Amino acid sequence: MNLVGSREVEDVLNAASGSVGKLFVALQTASAANALRSQNDGNISFRASLLGYASEVNRSKFDIKSAIPLVKKVIAGASDVEIWRAVSELITLTSSKPLTLPTAWGGAVFSTPLRPNSSSQIGIEQTHTEVDQRILEELVGRVYDNVGGFYERYFEGKAWTKKATDIYQKARSQLVKESWSGWPNPSEQGAFFEWFMKFQGTLLNGLDRSYYTSANKVLIGSEADRKLDLFLTAVDAVLLDGDHDWSNALVIGEHKQNPSEDCSIKTLVQLTGYAREVFGSQPERRFVPGFTICGSLMRLWMFDRSGLYNSEKFDIHDKPEQFVTVVAGYALMTKAELGLSTFVKLDGNSRYIDTKDEKIILEDRPIASTKAIACRGTTCYRGRRNNSTEWEFVVKFAWPSVKRQREGELLKRAKETGVTGVAVWFNHEQIITNGYPDTISHFRRNMKFGTPRELPRNTLWVDDSLESSRARSKSSIRGRSRGSAARTIGLRISTKDTTISSLGRKRKSDTRLDRGSGPKRSKSDSSHTSATNLHIKEDELSAQDIQEPGDDSLAFGRKEWERKYGNRSQAGRDNLANSEDETYDNRVYYCLVTSPAGQPLYTCQSSKELLEVLRDAIRGHKSLYQEGKILHRDISENNIIILRATATEGGPKGMLIDLDLAKELESKASRARHRTGTMQFMAIGVLEGESHTYRHDLESFFYVFLRVCIRYDYDDKLKRNKWENAEAKRRLQGWYVGRYTEIAGCKLGDIAKKNRFDSAILAGFAPRFENLKQLALDLRAILFPIIDGEIFTSTPVDHNIMYDGMINAFIGAIDSLGKEK
């Protein structure tokens, strides 16, 4: 770029008081600014070194005399070489007197406490060890035992109650001396399944649903190797390769031989793991019923987006009618009573919704969904008008807190205020089922909830030795079993005798690791998205709560980090339930329709496209912040889309979506109990308990960029493959596994310490993204500059400093790529 001859520089020189500041902006946008290296640090580009100069000049904080040699050369029409030499001299001169960027919390949004969920575990990362620990954290303060009125609420006074009673009358002939005939004692698993299948054959013969088992094989669709003891499904369910999968399960069940395991932590987590699989494979599911049979003790369970609760236990021999009513009742319930959605309608093979007098056809598979339980449960589909073949819309289903401002309202405001680069609002509405609103309070009506169960925070259980547990975990990561013809034993038994010798004895439970002592943090909709032990009332936050770390070394070991900062971010905040005023978090099911429908970020087809999309997403974030006065607060890989199909010449290539956790800058704190964030991309300051600012979102953009460069690669035909680098993969897992303070310390060390950033992060870049390493260094310097001899992690008063610095860094990197295929 010929800087001297550019019209932009001429305008700068003709400007009034802000001319020098604008000169720095012009210099940052020049391609040479990205190519040239600082003499003080050869890894830092001129663009990164110039960060903040323009703002400081305009604030009268910069020694303008130091810029006179540079200005003179520009005015005199010196060559580019001479001008950039003057820039280099300026950088060298001012580096000995570092800039002090003014920080402020005026742009902070005092945040609802964060809370993780199990959605942070994806793909092969879903080992039992990690997922089960996340499940426990997700359930803290959300488990209610012995809920009064449970049986009456779900099984009495229904349209099918009389039919269930008739079924019981027929089954009474199997009662012998106040016990069910043929009941195995002890109730070993193989014998129990044989008895139960014969028993249900006499009860449910001729009905449309039946119980099956997959106790000795992983049920298809499970990424965490889940095996399901009992599940109810339709007799005519569509089977892939002759096998059932998690998308068929209507009701889930767990059997234990020992009555003492009723309601144990082990049983709780296992059944919750099943519910998680159902929600993951049936993303529109409103709630999931379940039951446990431990010995002869039965307990009924219900999982919804605010957690889980169960009934009082009962003995199936002492209360035979109640037992039969439950078994038959589940098979007789309507789809709505089983928790399936009726909002989406069927027209032949097409699924559609009616909204705003428009029939919108949904694509068969969702483009995004959340695999967790207590969360927003976000699910998105592409949609098109009935008379069109263009996928114009994104149709989103979610369960936000009733206390949180609706995403639709925020997007509507963004549209009205001229925000660009963000999803465009079309319509939003609350979902109604059978004339009643779908809310957690409606689901839980007419029942008595006590105090939530206290769950262990420090460890799970250890069934076997630690070494065998580690071995199993490693084996699980190396490879997952997939569907096979014998995966599910579909035992819909008729009245004829049938043996089940292949079932054998019950498998041993997978070993769980002791996660260590000390308080744990307790979203995924994306969500994740999904409160924590950082729990604190929003109006109690003060400057003392958000002090900056004073150490200039960002390579703290985890122990040192916790020693210095653990108490500040954790003390007094680790109880998520006792300080709550409400029994549970009331959520509402709603549907949002936006446009356009883009493609996921991971489908980027070149380095250049990736950079263009991220550049435009950051521009959209800035517009949302400046024009809309809204802070996003959940930047993640899933919340950035590619506008490949709808892109116009000169138009944006990427867009920001998902304002579920967004907040108006001038609004008061919502009274929502918790919010969830996507752990992999969460900023260090947020992990430490700081109130959310725009700077934290920009840091999250940086993590998105790094993660894509490490996780994905493409072959010559642009087919996406996962790029496996063991060390980089291990590092990335440290960004969402462990305590909040552990994750913060891990990110801090990996990003800010030069040798770790090079060896652990840059070395893990996939071959296709090797040419983006310099941009990673520049972004790192922009977000974590050395200011007054210390690493700067605060939020500058002038938001243009970091916004423009990052945007210009992307522009420079795009220019340096040239015409890439």
Side-chain angles (χ1 to χ4, degrees), residues 129-140:
T129 300
E130 295 299 341
V131 173
D132 290 351
Q133 180 63 40
R134 284 285 182 251
I135 285 174
L136 264 186
E137 295 170 354
E138 185 176 322
L139 295 182
V140 170

Side-chain angles (χ1 to χ4, degrees), residues 4 59 74 85 131 140 161 230 232 271 313 318 347 390 463 474 521 552 593 605 618 643 736 797 806:
V4 177
R59 286 180 162 278
V74 173
R85 183 177 290 114
V131 173
V140 170
T161 300
L230 290 168
L232 179 75
L271 195 64
K313 63 185 177 183
D318 295 341
D347 183 3
E390 178 187 351
D463 289 335
K474 291 179 180 178
R521 71 173 192 278
D552 62 352
V593 183
Q605 297 179 348
I618 295 174
L643 302 182
Y736 59 89
V797 170
M806 291 189 69

Side-chain angles (χ1 to χ4, degrees), residues 23 114 132 191 208 325 352 361 415 493 575 732 737 807 814:
L23 173 60
L114 286 160
D132 290 351
D208 296 332
T325 300
Y352 71 94
I361 309 298
K415 183 178 181 180
I493 309 301
N575 192 326
L732 290 183
V737 174
I807 292 171
I814 292 168

Side-chain angles (χ1 to χ4, degrees), residues 300-320:
L300 313 180
W301 301 70
M302 185 62 74
F303 300 82
D304 60 30
R305 292 302 185 180
S306 286
L308 66 97
Y309 51 100
N310 56 54
S311 71
E312 296 176 328
K313 63 185 177 183
F314 64 93
D315 193 292
I316 66 172
H317 304 299
D318 295 341
K319 294 187 176 181

Side-chain angles (χ1 to χ4, degrees), residues 805-819:
M806 291 189 69
I807 292 171
N808 290 335
F810 276 101
I811 292 173
I814 292 168
D815 291 342
S816 67
L817 290 176
K819 293 184 178 180

Side-chain angles (χ1 to χ4, degrees), residues 95-150:
S95 64
S96 61
K97 299 178 180 179
L99 298 173
T100 302
L101 297 182
T103 61
W105 299 102
V109 173
F110 290 98
S111 305
T112 307
L114 286 160
R115 181 171 191 155
N117 62 32
S118 55
S119 65
S120 60
Q121 261 57 45
I122 57 177
I124 63 171
E125 298 164 352
Q126 296 183 81
T127 63
H128 275 294
T129 300
E130 295 299 341
V131 173
D132 290 351
Q133 180 63 40
R134 284 285 182 251
I135 285 174
L136 264 186
E137 295 170 354
E138 185 176 322
L139 295 182
V140 170
R142 291 166 168 167
V143 178
Y144 293 87
D145 296 323
N146 302 311
V147 171
F150 187 108

Side-chain angles (χ1 to χ4, degrees), residues 212 334 461 506 522 557 559 568 572:
Y212 296 81
T334 65
W461 54 90
K506 187 173 180 69
S522 304
K559 291 183 179 179
R568 177 173 62 82

